[in-house]
Amino acid sequence: MKITGITTFLLSDTLDESFYFSQFEYASRLICVVKVTTDEGIVGWGEGYGPAEVIRSAINFFAPLVIGRNPLQGEVIWQDMHRRALDYARKGVMLSALSAIDIALWDIRGKALGQSVSTLLGGRFREKVEVYATGLYFTQAHACGNMQAKLADEALLYKSQGYRAIKMKVGLGVRTDIDNVTAVRKALGAGGEIKLMVDSNHAYTFREAFELARALEPLRIHWFEEPLAPDDYAGYRELRGRTTIPLAAGECEFLRAGFRQLLEGRCVDFIQPETCAAGGITEAKKIADLAYAHYVEMTPHNWGTGIAVAANLHLTANLCYPPGRMHANQPLLEFDRSPNRLREELLAHPFKATDGCLTVPTAPGLGIEIDEEKLLHFSQPPRAS
Ligand code: MG
C-alpha cells in the first residue's frame, strides 16, 4: 500500500456568541483537518491543534516526505518527519502538523488491518472512558450580569447531564476567581461528589497562583491546571510543594523530551498532552509510558473536532496507571462543551456522553465516519493574505 495524497481542509465557523478566557476571545472556530489517501482506496483522517493556517502550511511542508510511503511504516515515517523538522520544531505548531498526519496514518493502519486504533495500541483497559465537561468560559453577558449565578447554572446543567467532573476557567484576577469558584462549588455541593477542576491557562505569576491556590484549598479542587507559565518548571515544582491542590499541565508541552522536564522535575500531579499537537498518537503513547515510569497520571487535553475526540478516546482507553489496584483510579478525558459546530457536525455520528462517559469506537481505525458534505460546508477555500 502506498500513500498517494494529502489534502488539508481549513474548517471555520463563526460563533453565534463569542466567549473568552484568561488569554483572548473566541469569535469563531478554525481547525485544520487532513485527509490522507492511499492507492488501495483507504483514507485516513487527522487533525492538528492550534493555528489552522500555519498547520496547513506545515502539513504541506511534510507532504513530500510522506507521499509514496507505505502507511504501515508509521513509526518510520514519524521519525523521518521529526528529523526533518527538528532544527525548527522542537516545540510548536509544526508538531501539530506532524501529529495530524500521524493520526491519519493510524486511522489508515487500523482500516487496513481491520482493527481499531486502541486495539493496535495494545488494547482497551476500558470500553467507556469517563470524561469531564470543559466549559464555564466567560461571555460579555457574564460581565454585565451576575457572573457567579451564570457559571453556577452552567455547572448544574452539566451535572444534570450526567457529568461527574467539571472544569471551569479562572484567570480573571484572584479575587474574581475566588468568588466564581466558591459559587460553583457551592452549587455543585461541598461534599466533592462532583469533581471540580480550575484552569487559569498560565495566567498567573507565582505569587498570584499561590494566593489563589491557598484560597481554593477548602473547596475540594481536583486539580489546578496551568497556574503558571508553561516554561516555569521551577515555579511548578515549588507551588506543588506549597499547596494541597494537585497541579496539572502539559497542553503547551510537546514530545517526550518536553514532558520529561515536567516529570523529572516532579512539577505536576497530572500531565495533559494534546494528541493533536504533542506528536500524534505515536508520541502520546510514549509520553504515557514516560508518565507511567514517573508514577504520574495522564489525562489528555482534548479540544477539537470529533477526529480529535476519537484519537484521544483510543489513547485514553489504552492508558494504565501504576502501581494499580483492584479499584484503581481511572483516567479522565477532557470533553469540551463550549460552542463548536465543527465538533458537533463533522462526524456522521457525533460523540455523545452518557452518564459522563464516552464509548470507545470499535470499528477499524479511529472508528469514525466523516460527513463529507459537512466537511465541504465548513471548508474555507485557500486565500492569499
Ligand atoms: Mg487547559
Side-chain angles (χ1 to χ4, degrees), residues 243-278:
T243 178
T244 58
I245 300 179
L247 300 187
E251 71 182 77
C252 299
E253 200 54 85
F254 298 85
L255 304 176
R256 277 160 284 174
F259 281 91
R260 185 178 60 194
Q261 289 179 274
L262 279 176
L263 292 164
E264 286 185 347
R266 305 188 75 81
C267 300
V268 291
D269 300 89
F270 299 92
I271 60 162
Q272 302 175 295
E274 167 53 66
T275 307
C276 298

PDB file of all heavy atoms in Angstrom, residues 243-278:
ATOM      1  N   THR A 243       1.062  23.764  48.042  1.00  0.00           N
ATOM      2  CA  THR A 243      -0.403  23.706  48.076  1.00  0.00           C
ATOM      3  C   THR A 243      -0.857  22.259  48.115  1.00  0.00           C
ATOM      4  O   THR A 243      -0.171  21.373  47.600  1.00  0.00           O
ATOM      5  CB  THR A 243      -1.044  24.422  46.870  1.00  0.00           C
ATOM      6  OG1 THR A 243      -2.472  24.295  46.951  1.00  0.00           O
ATOM      7  CG2 THR A 243      -0.572  23.853  45.546  1.00  0.00           C
ATOM      8  N   THR A 244      -2.008  22.059  48.724  1.00  0.00           N
ATOM      9  CA  THR A 244      -2.558  20.700  48.755  1.00  0.00           C
ATOM     10  C   THR A 244      -3.348  20.385  47.486  1.00  0.00           C
ATOM     11  O   THR A 244      -3.743  19.239  47.275  1.00  0.00           O
ATOM     12  CB  THR A 244      -3.507  20.540  49.961  1.00  0.00           C
ATOM     13  OG1 THR A 244      -4.546  21.527  49.864  1.00  0.00           O
ATOM     14  CG2 THR A 244      -2.760  20.705  51.272  1.00  0.00           C
ATOM     15  N   ILE A 245      -3.591  21.385  46.637  1.00  0.00           N
ATOM     16  CA  ILE A 245      -4.333  21.119  45.397  1.00  0.00           C
ATOM     17  C   ILE A 245      -3.378  20.491  44.375  1.00  0.00           C
ATOM     18  O   ILE A 245      -2.313  21.051  44.092  1.00  0.00           O
ATOM     19  CB  ILE A 245      -4.929  22.418  44.813  1.00  0.00           C
ATOM     20  CG1 ILE A 245      -5.890  23.069  45.826  1.00  0.00           C
ATOM     21  CG2 ILE A 245      -5.649  22.135  43.505  1.00  0.00           C
ATOM     22  CD1 ILE A 245      -6.505  24.371  45.338  1.00  0.00           C
ATOM     23  N   PRO A 246      -3.748  19.357  43.794  1.00  0.00           N
ATOM     24  CA  PRO A 246      -2.893  18.769  42.755  1.00  0.00           C
ATOM     25  C   PRO A 246      -2.767  19.723  41.563  1.00  0.00           C
ATOM     26  O   PRO A 246      -3.699  20.464  41.244  1.00  0.00           O
ATOM     27  CB  PRO A 246      -3.648  17.494  42.354  1.00  0.00           C
ATOM     28  CG  PRO A 246      -4.535  17.195  43.534  1.00  0.00           C
ATOM     29  CD  PRO A 246      -4.919  18.524  44.105  1.00  0.00           C
ATOM     30  N   LEU A 247      -1.614  19.687  40.922  1.00  0.00           N
ATOM     31  CA  LEU A 247      -1.383  20.547  39.755  1.00  0.00           C
ATOM     32  C   LEU A 247      -1.427  19.716  38.474  1.00  0.00           C
ATOM     33  O   LEU A 247      -1.053  18.533  38.466  1.00  0.00           O
ATOM     34  CB  LEU A 247      -0.029  21.243  39.851  1.00  0.00           C
ATOM     35  CG  LEU A 247       0.202  22.150  41.069  1.00  0.00           C
ATOM     36  CD1 LEU A 247       1.529  22.883  40.921  1.00  0.00           C
ATOM     37  CD2 LEU A 247      -0.947  23.134  41.275  1.00  0.00           C
ATOM     38  N   ALA A 248      -1.857  20.368  37.395  1.00  0.00           N
ATOM     39  CA  ALA A 248      -1.925  19.722  36.078  1.00  0.00           C
ATOM     40  C   ALA A 248      -1.356  20.681  35.038  1.00  0.00           C
ATOM     41  O   ALA A 248      -1.520  21.892  35.150  1.00  0.00           O
ATOM     42  CB  ALA A 248      -3.372  19.368  35.728  1.00  0.00           C
ATOM     43  N   ALA A 249      -0.703  20.128  34.026  1.00  0.00           N
ATOM     44  CA  ALA A 249      -0.189  20.950  32.926  1.00  0.00           C
ATOM     45  C   ALA A 249       0.248  20.022  31.793  1.00  0.00           C
ATOM     46  O   ALA A 249       0.372  18.816  31.975  1.00  0.00           O
ATOM     47  CB  ALA A 249       0.992  21.814  33.371  1.00  0.00           C
ATOM     48  N   GLY A 250       0.459  20.625  30.646  1.00  0.00           N
ATOM     49  CA  GLY A 250       1.019  19.860  29.532  1.00  0.00           C
ATOM     50  C   GLY A 250       0.378  20.147  28.187  1.00  0.00           C
ATOM     51  O   GLY A 250       0.869  19.666  27.167  1.00  0.00           O
ATOM     52  N   GLU A 251      -0.709  20.930  28.145  1.00  0.00           N
ATOM     53  CA  GLU A 251      -1.311  21.175  26.831  1.00  0.00           C
ATOM     54  C   GLU A 251      -0.424  22.060  25.976  1.00  0.00           C
ATOM     55  O   GLU A 251      -0.608  22.115  24.762  1.00  0.00           O
ATOM     56  CB  GLU A 251      -2.715  21.769  26.984  1.00  0.00           C
ATOM     57  CG  GLU A 251      -2.752  23.183  27.492  1.00  0.00           C
ATOM     58  CD  GLU A 251      -4.177  23.697  27.674  1.00  0.00           C
ATOM     59  OE1 GLU A 251      -4.801  23.309  28.673  1.00  0.00           O
ATOM     60  OE2 GLU A 251      -4.650  24.455  26.826  1.00  0.00           O
ATOM     61  N   CYS A 252       0.547  22.756  26.592  1.00  0.00           N
ATOM     62  CA  CYS A 252       1.514  23.563  25.833  1.00  0.00           C
ATOM     63  C   CYS A 252       2.857  22.844  25.731  1.00  0.00           C
ATOM     64  O   CYS A 252       3.866  23.477  25.413  1.00  0.00           O
ATOM     65  CB  CYS A 252       1.723  24.917  26.491  1.00  0.00           C
ATOM     66  SG  CYS A 252       0.243  25.920  26.583  1.00  0.00           S
ATOM     67  N   GLU A 253       2.881  21.564  26.019  1.00  0.00           N
ATOM     68  CA  GLU A 253       4.142  20.818  26.006  1.00  0.00           C
ATOM     69  C   GLU A 253       4.140  19.869  24.813  1.00  0.00           C
ATOM     70  O   GLU A 253       3.092  19.523  24.273  1.00  0.00           O
ATOM     71  CB  GLU A 253       4.279  20.051  27.334  1.00  0.00           C
ATOM     72  CG  GLU A 253       5.675  19.643  27.681  1.00  0.00           C
ATOM     73  CD  GLU A 253       6.661  20.808  27.677  1.00  0.00           C
ATOM     74  OE1 GLU A 253       6.782  21.512  28.687  1.00  0.00           O
ATOM     75  OE2 GLU A 253       7.316  20.982  26.612  1.00  0.00           O
ATOM     76  N   PHE A 254       5.323  19.476  24.397  1.00  0.00           N
ATOM     77  CA  PHE A 254       5.458  18.689  23.170  1.00  0.00           C
ATOM     78  C   PHE A 254       6.487  17.569  23.359  1.00  0.00           C
ATOM     79  O   PHE A 254       7.501  17.762  24.026  1.00  0.00           O
ATOM     80  CB  PHE A 254       5.910  19.580  22.009  1.00  0.00           C
ATOM     81  CG  PHE A 254       4.915  20.677  21.693  1.00  0.00           C
ATOM     82  CD1 PHE A 254       4.952  21.875  22.391  1.00  0.00           C
ATOM     83  CD2 PHE A 254       3.939  20.497  20.727  1.00  0.00           C
ATOM     84  CE1 PHE A 254       4.031  22.884  22.117  1.00  0.00           C
ATOM     85  CE2 PHE A 254       3.020  21.494  20.449  1.00  0.00           C
ATOM     86  CZ  PHE A 254       3.069  22.691  21.148  1.00  0.00           C
ATOM     87  N   LEU A 255       6.242  16.470  22.754  1.00  0.00           N
ATOM     88  CA  LEU A 255       7.191  15.362  22.640  1.00  0.00           C
ATOM     89  C   LEU A 255       7.618  14.820  24.008  1.00  0.00           C
ATOM     90  O   LEU A 255       7.415  15.461  25.040  1.00  0.00           O
ATOM     91  CB  LEU A 255       8.431  15.781  21.836  1.00  0.00           C
ATOM     92  CG  LEU A 255       8.156  16.339  20.436  1.00  0.00           C
ATOM     93  CD1 LEU A 255       9.466  16.807  19.795  1.00  0.00           C
ATOM     94  CD2 LEU A 255       7.497  15.280  19.554  1.00  0.00           C
ATOM     95  N   ARG A 256       8.246  13.672  23.963  1.00  0.00           N
ATOM     96  CA  ARG A 256       8.763  13.074  25.194  1.00  0.00           C
ATOM     97  C   ARG A 256       9.746  14.006  25.893  1.00  0.00           C
ATOM     98  O   ARG A 256       9.751  14.126  27.119  1.00  0.00           O
ATOM     99  CB  ARG A 256       9.502  11.764  24.881  1.00  0.00           C
ATOM    100  CG  ARG A 256       8.637  10.561  24.734  1.00  0.00           C
ATOM    101  CD  ARG A 256       9.359   9.473  23.974  1.00  0.00           C
ATOM    102  NE  ARG A 256       9.408   9.770  22.541  1.00  0.00           N
ATOM    103  CZ  ARG A 256      10.079   9.043  21.647  1.00  0.00           C
ATOM    104  NH1 ARG A 256      10.759   7.986  22.046  1.00  0.00           N
ATOM    105  NH2 ARG A 256      10.056   9.367  20.368  1.00  0.00           N
ATOM    106  N   ALA A 257      10.586  14.654  25.113  1.00  0.00           N
ATOM    107  CA  ALA A 257      11.617  15.491  25.720  1.00  0.00           C
ATOM    108  C   ALA A 257      10.999  16.618  26.537  1.00  0.00           C
ATOM    109  O   ALA A 257      11.508  16.987  27.603  1.00  0.00           O
ATOM    110  CB  ALA A 257      12.532  16.062  24.635  1.00  0.00           C
ATOM    111  N   GLY A 258       9.901  17.185  26.050  1.00  0.00           N
ATOM    112  CA  GLY A 258       9.228  18.238  26.795  1.00  0.00           C
ATOM    113  C   GLY A 258       8.587  17.711  28.061  1.00  0.00           C
ATOM    114  O   GLY A 258       8.743  18.292  29.145  1.00  0.00           O
ATOM    115  N   PHE A 259       7.888  16.601  27.951  1.00  0.00           N
ATOM    116  CA  PHE A 259       7.215  16.046  29.125  1.00  0.00           C
ATOM    117  C   PHE A 259       8.211  15.518  30.146  1.00  0.00           C
ATOM    118  O   PHE A 259       7.923  15.488  31.344  1.00  0.00           O
ATOM    119  CB  PHE A 259       6.189  14.982  28.702  1.00  0.00           C
ATOM    120  CG  PHE A 259       4.930  15.610  28.196  1.00  0.00           C
ATOM    121  CD1 PHE A 259       4.769  15.905  26.851  1.00  0.00           C
ATOM    122  CD2 PHE A 259       3.915  15.981  29.066  1.00  0.00           C
ATOM    123  CE1 PHE A 259       3.623  16.529  26.391  1.00  0.00           C
ATOM    124  CE2 PHE A 259       2.767  16.610  28.621  1.00  0.00           C
ATOM    125  CZ  PHE A 259       2.624  16.883  27.274  1.00  0.00           C
ATOM    126  N   ARG A 260       9.375  15.122  29.679  1.00  0.00           N
ATOM    127  CA  ARG A 260      10.406  14.666  30.617  1.00  0.00           C
ATOM    128  C   ARG A 260      10.745  15.769  31.616  1.00  0.00           C
ATOM    129  O   ARG A 260      10.983  15.498  32.794  1.00  0.00           O
ATOM    130  CB  ARG A 260      11.660  14.248  29.836  1.00  0.00           C
ATOM    131  CG  ARG A 260      12.744  13.646  30.727  1.00  0.00           C
ATOM    132  CD  ARG A 260      13.929  13.212  29.902  1.00  0.00           C
ATOM    133  NE  ARG A 260      14.509  14.338  29.192  1.00  0.00           N
ATOM    134  CZ  ARG A 260      15.386  14.233  28.187  1.00  0.00           C
ATOM    135  NH1 ARG A 260      15.759  13.040  27.769  1.00  0.00           N
ATOM    136  NH2 ARG A 260      15.868  15.304  27.609  1.00  0.00           N
ATOM    137  N   GLN A 261      10.743  17.029  31.151  1.00  0.00           N
ATOM    138  CA  GLN A 261      11.049  18.135  32.065  1.00  0.00           C
ATOM    139  C   GLN A 261       9.998  18.254  33.161  1.00  0.00           C
ATOM    140  O   GLN A 261      10.328  18.460  34.327  1.00  0.00           O
ATOM    141  CB  GLN A 261      11.149  19.447  31.284  1.00  0.00           C
ATOM    142  CG  GLN A 261      12.382  19.531  30.427  1.00  0.00           C
ATOM    143  CD  GLN A 261      12.430  20.843  29.659  1.00  0.00           C
ATOM    144  OE1 GLN A 261      11.867  20.949  28.584  1.00  0.00           O
ATOM    145  NE2 GLN A 261      13.090  21.824  30.209  1.00  0.00           N
ATOM    146  N   LEU A 262       8.735  18.145  32.768  1.00  0.00           N
ATOM    147  CA  LEU A 262       7.662  18.211  33.770  1.00  0.00           C
ATOM    148  C   LEU A 262       7.738  17.034  34.742  1.00  0.00           C
ATOM    149  O   LEU A 262       7.509  17.191  35.940  1.00  0.00           O
ATOM    150  CB  LEU A 262       6.290  18.167  33.085  1.00  0.00           C
ATOM    151  CG  LEU A 262       5.729  19.447  32.481  1.00  0.00           C
ATOM    152  CD1 LEU A 262       4.408  19.145  31.780  1.00  0.00           C
ATOM    153  CD2 LEU A 262       5.524  20.522  33.551  1.00  0.00           C
ATOM    154  N   LEU A 263       8.075  15.858  34.197  1.00  0.00           N
ATOM    155  CA  LEU A 263       8.027  14.637  35.005  1.00  0.00           C
ATOM    156  C   LEU A 263       9.252  14.505  35.907  1.00  0.00           C
ATOM    157  O   LEU A 263       9.131  14.245  37.102  1.00  0.00           O
ATOM    158  CB  LEU A 263       7.891  13.421  34.088  1.00  0.00           C
ATOM    159  CG  LEU A 263       6.543  13.330  33.352  1.00  0.00           C
ATOM    160  CD1 LEU A 263       6.616  12.346  32.196  1.00  0.00           C
ATOM    161  CD2 LEU A 263       5.428  12.940  34.311  1.00  0.00           C
ATOM    162  N   GLU A 264      10.429  14.708  35.335  1.00  0.00           N
ATOM    163  CA  GLU A 264      11.639  14.587  36.148  1.00  0.00           C
ATOM    164  C   GLU A 264      11.687  15.671  37.217  1.00  0.00           C
ATOM    165  O   GLU A 264      12.230  15.458  38.298  1.00  0.00           O
ATOM    166  CB  GLU A 264      12.889  14.670  35.267  1.00  0.00           C
ATOM    167  CG  GLU A 264      13.117  13.410  34.450  1.00  0.00           C
ATOM    168  CD  GLU A 264      14.426  13.452  33.671  1.00  0.00           C
ATOM    169  OE1 GLU A 264      15.038  14.532  33.572  1.00  0.00           O
ATOM    170  OE2 GLU A 264      14.810  12.387  33.153  1.00  0.00           O
ATOM    171  N   GLY A 265      11.113  16.837  36.913  1.00  0.00           N
ATOM    172  CA  GLY A 265      11.083  17.922  37.888  1.00  0.00           C
ATOM    173  C   GLY A 265      10.020  17.746  38.949  1.00  0.00           C
ATOM    174  O   GLY A 265       9.930  18.570  39.852  1.00  0.00           O
ATOM    175  N   ARG A 266       9.217  16.701  38.838  1.00  0.00           N
ATOM    176  CA  ARG A 266       8.100  16.461  39.767  1.00  0.00           C
ATOM    177  C   ARG A 266       7.255  17.727  39.891  1.00  0.00           C
ATOM    178  O   ARG A 266       6.912  18.181  40.982  1.00  0.00           O
ATOM    179  CB  ARG A 266       8.602  15.966  41.121  1.00  0.00           C
ATOM    180  CG  ARG A 266       9.472  14.726  41.010  1.00  0.00           C
ATOM    181  CD  ARG A 266       9.814  14.101  42.338  1.00  0.00           C
ATOM    182  NE  ARG A 266       8.688  13.380  42.918  1.00  0.00           N
ATOM    183  CZ  ARG A 266       8.316  12.144  42.578  1.00  0.00           C
ATOM    184  NH1 ARG A 266       8.983  11.487  41.642  1.00  0.00           N
ATOM    185  NH2 ARG A 266       7.284  11.567  43.149  1.00  0.00           N
ATOM    186  N   CYS A 267       6.936  18.298  38.709  1.00  0.00           N
ATOM    187  CA  CYS A 267       6.255  19.593  38.651  1.00  0.00           C
ATOM    188  C   CYS A 267       4.746  19.477  38.804  1.00  0.00           C
ATOM    189  O   CYS A 267       4.100  20.447  39.214  1.00  0.00           O
ATOM    190  CB  CYS A 267       6.563  20.264  37.308  1.00  0.00           C
ATOM    191  SG  CYS A 267       8.318  20.574  37.042  1.00  0.00           S
ATOM    192  N   VAL A 268       4.180  18.348  38.397  1.00  0.00           N
ATOM    193  CA  VAL A 268       2.717  18.234  38.346  1.00  0.00           C
ATOM    194  C   VAL A 268       2.270  16.852  38.829  1.00  0.00           C
ATOM    195  O   VAL A 268       3.052  15.901  38.856  1.00  0.00           O
ATOM    196  CB  VAL A 268       2.186  18.445  36.906  1.00  0.00           C
ATOM    197  CG1 VAL A 268       2.374  19.889  36.465  1.00  0.00           C
ATOM    198  CG2 VAL A 268       2.841  17.492  35.916  1.00  0.00           C
ATOM    199  N   ASP A 269       0.975  16.785  39.148  1.00  0.00           N
ATOM    200  CA  ASP A 269       0.350  15.514  39.524  1.00  0.00           C
ATOM    201  C   ASP A 269      -0.307  14.846  38.322  1.00  0.00           C
ATOM    202  O   ASP A 269      -0.524  13.631  38.315  1.00  0.00           O
ATOM    203  CB  ASP A 269      -0.709  15.753  40.599  1.00  0.00           C
ATOM    204  CG  ASP A 269      -0.090  16.382  41.837  1.00  0.00           C
ATOM    205  OD1 ASP A 269      -0.027  17.638  41.897  1.00  0.00           O
ATOM    206  OD2 ASP A 269       0.376  15.631  42.709  1.00  0.00           O
ATOM    207  N   PHE A 270      -0.674  15.653  37.323  1.00  0.00           N
ATOM    208  CA  PHE A 270      -1.311  15.147  36.114  1.00  0.00           C
ATOM    209  C   PHE A 270      -0.618  15.787  34.909  1.00  0.00           C
ATOM    210  O   PHE A 270      -0.420  17.003  34.888  1.00  0.00           O
ATOM    211  CB  PHE A 270      -2.795  15.539  36.044  1.00  0.00           C
ATOM    212  CG  PHE A 270      -3.641  15.018  37.171  1.00  0.00           C
ATOM    213  CD1 PHE A 270      -3.844  15.779  38.311  1.00  0.00           C
ATOM    214  CD2 PHE A 270      -4.250  13.772  37.082  1.00  0.00           C
ATOM    215  CE1 PHE A 270      -4.641  15.313  39.349  1.00  0.00           C
ATOM    216  CE2 PHE A 270      -5.048  13.298  38.115  1.00  0.00           C
ATOM    217  CZ  PHE A 270      -5.242  14.068  39.257  1.00  0.00           C
ATOM    218  N   ILE A 271      -0.298  14.979  33.904  1.00  0.00           N
ATOM    219  CA  ILE A 271       0.155  15.581  32.641  1.00  0.00           C
ATOM    220  C   ILE A 271      -0.988  15.505  31.629  1.00  0.00           C
ATOM    221  O   ILE A 271      -1.797  14.583  31.645  1.00  0.00           O
ATOM    222  CB  ILE A 271       1.431  14.936  32.070  1.00  0.00           C
ATOM    223  CG1 ILE A 271       1.232  13.444  31.780  1.00  0.00           C
ATOM    224  CG2 ILE A 271       2.613  15.196  32.973  1.00  0.00           C
ATOM    225  CD1 ILE A 271       2.286  12.889  30.848  1.00  0.00           C
ATOM    226  N   GLN A 272      -1.005  16.515  30.742  1.00  0.00           N
ATOM    227  CA  GLN A 272      -2.138  16.688  29.828  1.00  0.00           C
ATOM    228  C   GLN A 272      -1.680  16.887  28.381  1.00  0.00           C
ATOM    229  O   GLN A 272      -1.899  17.942  27.794  1.00  0.00           O
ATOM    230  CB  GLN A 272      -2.951  17.900  30.272  1.00  0.00           C
ATOM    231  CG  GLN A 272      -3.464  17.780  31.701  1.00  0.00           C
ATOM    232  CD  GLN A 272      -4.146  19.039  32.153  1.00  0.00           C
ATOM    233  OE1 GLN A 272      -3.530  20.078  32.281  1.00  0.00           O
ATOM    234  NE2 GLN A 272      -5.437  18.960  32.390  1.00  0.00           N
ATOM    235  N   PRO A 273      -1.046  15.880  27.790  1.00  0.00           N
ATOM    236  CA  PRO A 273      -0.650  16.045  26.390  1.00  0.00           C
ATOM    237  C   PRO A 273      -1.864  16.158  25.473  1.00  0.00           C
ATOM    238  O   PRO A 273      -2.900  15.543  25.737  1.00  0.00           O
ATOM    239  CB  PRO A 273       0.144  14.773  26.090  1.00  0.00           C
ATOM    240  CG  PRO A 273      -0.302  13.784  27.101  1.00  0.00           C
ATOM    241  CD  PRO A 273      -0.702  14.552  28.318  1.00  0.00           C
ATOM    242  N   GLU A 274      -1.712  16.933  24.437  1.00  0.00           N
ATOM    243  CA  GLU A 274      -2.744  17.024  23.399  1.00  0.00           C
ATOM    244  C   GLU A 274      -2.264  16.167  22.229  1.00  0.00           C
ATOM    245  O   GLU A 274      -1.261  16.493  21.579  1.00  0.00           O
ATOM    246  CB  GLU A 274      -2.931  18.488  22.983  1.00  0.00           C
ATOM    247  CG  GLU A 274      -3.727  18.705  21.718  1.00  0.00           C
ATOM    248  CD  GLU A 274      -5.091  18.017  21.722  1.00  0.00           C
ATOM    249  OE1 GLU A 274      -5.947  18.409  22.522  1.00  0.00           O
ATOM    250  OE2 GLU A 274      -5.280  17.076  20.915  1.00  0.00           O
ATOM    251  N   THR A 275      -2.963  15.089  21.961  1.00  0.00           N
ATOM    252  CA  THR A 275      -2.555  14.153  20.914  1.00  0.00           C
ATOM    253  C   THR A 275      -2.396  14.847  19.564  1.00  0.00           C
ATOM    254  O   THR A 275      -1.529  14.481  18.772  1.00  0.00           O
ATOM    255  CB  THR A 275      -3.596  13.017  20.800  1.00  0.00           C
ATOM    256  OG1 THR A 275      -3.772  12.459  22.102  1.00  0.00           O
ATOM    257  CG2 THR A 275      -3.150  11.929  19.850  1.00  0.00           C
ATOM    258  N   CYS A 276      -3.223  15.871  19.317  1.00  0.00           N
ATOM    259  CA  CYS A 276      -3.198  16.574  18.037  1.00  0.00           C
ATOM    260  C   CYS A 276      -2.106  17.642  17.984  1.00  0.00           C
ATOM    261  O   CYS A 276      -2.077  18.446  17.039  1.00  0.00           O
ATOM    262  CB  CYS A 276      -4.555  17.208  17.761  1.00  0.00           C
ATOM    263  SG  CYS A 276      -5.891  16.019  17.628  1.00  0.00           S
ATOM    264  N   ALA A 277      -1.227  17.679  18.981  1.00  0.00           N
ATOM    265  CA  ALA A 277      -0.135  18.653  18.978  1.00  0.00           C
ATOM    266  C   ALA A 277       1.179  18.066  19.491  1.00  0.00           C
ATOM    267  O   ALA A 277       2.245  18.406  18.981  1.00  0.00           O
ATOM    268  CB  ALA A 277      -0.507  19.873  19.834  1.00  0.00           C
ATOM    269  N   ALA A 278       1.104  17.227  20.489  1.00  0.00           N
ATOM    270  CA  ALA A 278       2.317  16.786  21.196  1.00  0.00           C
ATOM    271  C   ALA A 278       3.139  15.770  20.422  1.00  0.00           C
ATOM    272  O   ALA A 278       4.243  15.412  20.842  1.00  0.00           O
ATOM    273  CB  ALA A 278       1.948  16.215  22.567  1.00  0.00           C
TER     274      ALA A 278
END
